[in-house]
Amino acid sequence: MGVKKRISGCVAVANGVKLADVDVICSYPIRPYTGIMSELARMVADGELDAEFIHGEGEHAQLSVVYGASACGARAFTGSSGVGVTYAMEVYSPISGERLPLQMAIADRTLDPPGDFGSEHTDALCTRDQGWLQGWSSTPQEALDMTLMWYRIGEDPRVLLPQYSCQDGYFVSHILGEVEIPDAAQVKEFLPPYKNHHVLDVRRPQIIGAQIEPAMGPPLQYQRYQAVEGARQVIKQAHAEFAGIFGRSYDPFVEEYMTDDAEAAIFIQGAHAETAKTVARRLRNLGEKVGVVRLRVFRPYPTQEVRLALSKFKAVGVVDNSANFGIAGSSGVMLTEARTALYNLGDKVKTVGFVGGLGGEMITHDEFYRMFAKLKEIAKNGKTDRDGYWLPFEL
Amino acid sequence: MLEDIKTLRKAPREEYYVPGHRTCAGCGPALQYRLVAKAAGANTIFIGPTGCMYVANTSYGCGPWAVPWIHAQITNGGAVGSGIEAAYKALIRKHKTDAEFPNVIVMAGDGGSSDIGIQALSGAFYRGHNLLFICYDNESYANTGIQTSPTTPYGAWTTFTPAGPVSPEGKKLFPKDLPKIMSHGHPELKYLATASIAFPVDLMNKVRRGLNAQGPSFLYIHAPCPKGWSFPSEKTVSIAKLAVDTGMFQLYEMTEDRRFKVTYRPKELKPVEEYLKLQGRFKHLRPEHIEKLQNFAQRRMQEVGIEITLLSS
Amino acid sequence: MSFKEVPFAGTVPSPKRENEGMVTGNWRTKRPVLDKDKCTDCLICWISCPDACIDQSTTGLAFNLKYCKGCGICAEVCPSNAITNVPELDYAD
């Protein structure tokens, strides 16, 4: 059995990395994810974790260092926030293309401008189509568990893909929560050593990342596509085994809260889901038929599970905590992807986008009340008069 | 320890950069790659940032290395090399591999070293990783069709520095001096040298000294490019030799005492014009431009301690 | 090339002695020919070949025409003029 501690999302992730016995870590400071690296640096300095701790000269270097390390068979970890995430953009595709299952933690932060430290999912969502697995946790406990879970899933020989383990900056990264830190024996049972069959080893020389002739392009991209798609099965399996070993269970893809007989629901990812749940619970006490569906895995997008979860409502409000300018539906990526998942059901479920919490602002209880009120109206009238609302200006 | 090669006859016969690559006929960078690989031997991992030596060597999903090779972006050779070095250190220390610590060699072009890749190079050297970073300098972005890089000489034609009525000399700027940038300011630096394909034994020995140095080592190799410099393919080695004999390229090394030691002094220094006139990229130059290049060569030679006694042309 | 023939992530084993994925001998317009009487076995041509196409055999130096691109460096650097570049059209093969 593990021990319970009150720790932040950053410290929780660092504990996950330590338990995973990571070999190479590459850091560069940027708020708010920096807390993960400070804690790891302390663990290395105190002899709690045996790893090469490398000070990258920037996020681009961070991703490049772990690319090289993972290609030698080392378990590697890095992380970033905000513009740091986008600065490293060049290196994400080579990492997934070479099928290197390293992990990057992202504690969300706005891109510049606005030049602030606040949380927004915009940074991590920019990376969503780079061939990585990607998921969001909403509590420090989940952040620790996702660290272990992603290594296990990403390193599975059927998958071999890198992973973004995302958490909201500050709302998760810097707020203390009660976390059960598993013991090493449990982790050993859950997470086998990293073995990749194509690594740099002079005893079995290989050429990794050669240029190709055009005819090799489609099948190589199709390989990566199949790996991401195929990860769904492994994600389910790993979650089941995780529950068995650690005694904590998560719905692998979508978590439903008070959705039985609900007519309207908020569809959301990350920490703001916790606020939405509070409001939904209060509305339930008042007799309103409302619920919350929280997306846990963004890549591979759980199309079937989202369709199944959302198709039972009359109205769904999709919350985007990211800035998207000029996007279809004038809202955000969460809305466009949810609508794609629902498209074949026709007009049965009315969807509307809510953009909120930008620049790191809270999405307040009051705002969620207004969103639920709008959904109630849509459910009653059976129609929407617009695609999306930017809060607080338009709703 | 890799031993010094005393004579050409003692050079290893084994090839680790084998026949079968799409580099141009007479490619200087290909020749230096072969010499580096030969000197380093079987226990070597190459990191290949984007550049000619990636594009022309690996097309069609294969490559000519008999040892492990991995692609890096043109930006990040130093950082990928750092990760490979760190991984082997960790895996060996934690008994997760029984492999020997390998020679880690980053083989970057002048763009991947002196321009877009300089940040990763400097970062790796600052941190003290045990790797050899080689800049093979063909003085341009060549695989994209000959565009100026920071090491392209003053006066050279490239597709981005064409000579015309407004800029009669073509390139107006003098080149970055990369070995000097690397030689001071990185406290962990263990070895630095310049080398030329016209001096193969010297080149191979400098590779070995760099690998033996157990820390960041930098090798700057002059590698003429028939296509980019416009000269016939058979002239590659002769032009490399002329670069040294005119002082346009200087051969030296630096060990931990941080002093330049000239490793080859031309017996009779020739005027730079003899080097320039064999290359189409300089054919538009006027006497005043050539004079500037002559002064440039003399300044560079003086900086490393080559005394100048110029033969009159 | 079909889907099944593409290796995992495009990773391929390193070649041992030659890279048969890129045979370059057919680029050649001139063929190096060695005059063994003039050759002093100094090995300057051997070390100067960018394509590692000069082999040291028991009977002297030999050109690997499967890959030789005909750049002419070997003839140019030979101090004893023992190598000649002969037009390929002079050969039947």
Side-chain angles (χ1 to χ4, degrees), chain B residues 8-9 12-13 18-23 26-27 31 34-35 38 60-63 65-67 200 233-235 238, chain C residues 12 14-19 21-22 24 27 41-43 46-52 56 67 69 71-73 76:
Chain B
L8 196 47
R9 200 156 295 284
R13 288 195 181 191
V18 302
H21 40 85
R22 206 173 48 89
T23 63
C27 175
L31 175 53
R34 177 184 165 223
L35 298 173
K38 186 183 271 298
Y60 304 93
C62 57
W65 302 277
V67 292
S233 63
E234 73 271 13
K235 295 286 181 197
S238 327
Chain C
V12 291
S14 301
K16 289 193 169 63
R17 290 202 164 71
E18 58 183 302
N19 175 27
M22 182 43 66
T24 49
W27 296 13
D41 204 27
C42 71
L43 299 180
W46 169 73
I47 203 69
S48 301
C49 178
D51 294 272
Q56 299 184 44
Y67 292 97
K69 295 167 184 164
C71 69
I73 289 177
E76 173 82 10

